[in-house]
Amino acid sequence: MSSGGGYQGGRTRMGTKVFLNVYDLSPANDVLYNIGFGLHHSGVEILGTEYSFASGAGIFEDRPKEAGGAKFRESIELGAFEGGQAEVRTIIGDLRSDFGPDAYNLIRKNCNSFANAFVWALLGRPIPSHVNRLADLGVCCSCLLPKKLLEEAPVGPNAGNNSSSGGGFQAGGSKATMAPAPKAFSGSGATLGSSNSGSTNAGGVGGRLLG
């Protein structure tokens, strides 16, 4: 149990709690999630900050559970990190060489790939396999996808800057967003799992796959 009256960023007497915050990128997740799949973005929350990875930005920080361009689904507690803020910063610094602004690839090195590497460095364990399962399967057919699609992240500070991108949920409303963009799940009342999400669903599956 944490001490003190205020929020401790997940810090307890046993260490600092580490959470994987998982988001939906498509209404199709209402069906896919139940069979162990999904079009997901993810970020790692520790000490009150969420860390993720995107094209053009590399590793970036955001407010927990508020990633622009995606709908929050769940927070998975993964364990407790015995270090503090200085150790977290050191780990992030070490990861920047592998997860730079130009290193993003939708299939081979996406936000879930970063989350897995970060959690492994913090706790010595991987993230749950279902979070990135579609990308793992997509390696087999990545050569069939447009190069531009593979290099653009649907979530992140620069996600709303590509006006030519076809569909998917655009970034908006997040503190990490650098430019205005339409809010996620905007439109005529279409929400995750609703019967009115036909056009949004098509864009989310066809235009954007993973974070």
Side-chain angles (χ1 to χ4, degrees), residues 4 6 22 28 32 60 63 78 88 90 99 113 122 159 168 197 202 211:
V22 181
L32 295 173
F60 67 96
R63 293 174 297 195
L78 299 177
V88 170
T90 296
F99 293 92
S113 308
L122 291 170
S197 57

Side-chain angles (χ1 to χ4, degrees), residues 18-157:
V18 178
F19 300 91
L20 183 72
N21 292 333
V22 181
Y23 301 80
D24 290 332
L25 293 174
S26 169
N29 280 12
D30 276 359
V31 175
L32 295 173
Y33 186 82
N34 294 326
I35 57 174
F37 288 91
L39 310 174
H40 294 298
H41 167 74
S42 68
V44 178
E45 178 184 348
I46 183 170
L47 291 170
T49 299
E50 184 172 305
Y51 297 88
S52 193
F53 170 64
S55 54
I59 299 172
F60 67 96
E61 301 178 5
D62 207 347
R63 293 174 297 195
K65 306 180 182 68
E66 296 186 18
K71 184 175 180 65
F72 176 74
R73 170 172 281 273
E74 62 180 336
S75 185
I76 305 171
E77 184 174 344
L78 299 177
F81 176 59
E82 296 183 359
Q85 188 67 57
E87 288 78 10
V88 170
R89 291 294 184 186
T90 296
I91 292 172
I92 289 294
D94 291 342
L95 290 173
R96 289 191 188 280
S97 60
D98 289 330
F99 293 92
D102 299 321
Y104 184 91
N105 182 280
L106 188 67
I107 300 297
R108 300 179 184 277
K109 187 174 285 190
N110 57 39
C111 65
N112 303 320
S113 308
F114 163 75
N116 191 65
F118 189 24
V119 169
W120 186 269
L122 291 170
L123 303 175
R125 59 159 293 178
I127 65 174
S129 59
H130 73 273
V131 176
N132 203 41
R133 184 168 287 146
L134 277 182
D136 292 337
L137 295 176
V139 170
C140 301
C141 59
S142 60
C143 61
L144 303 177
L145 296 174
K147 184 173 184 290
K148 185 176 181 180
L149 174 62
L150 292 173
E151 294 177 349
E152 290 182 1
V155 176

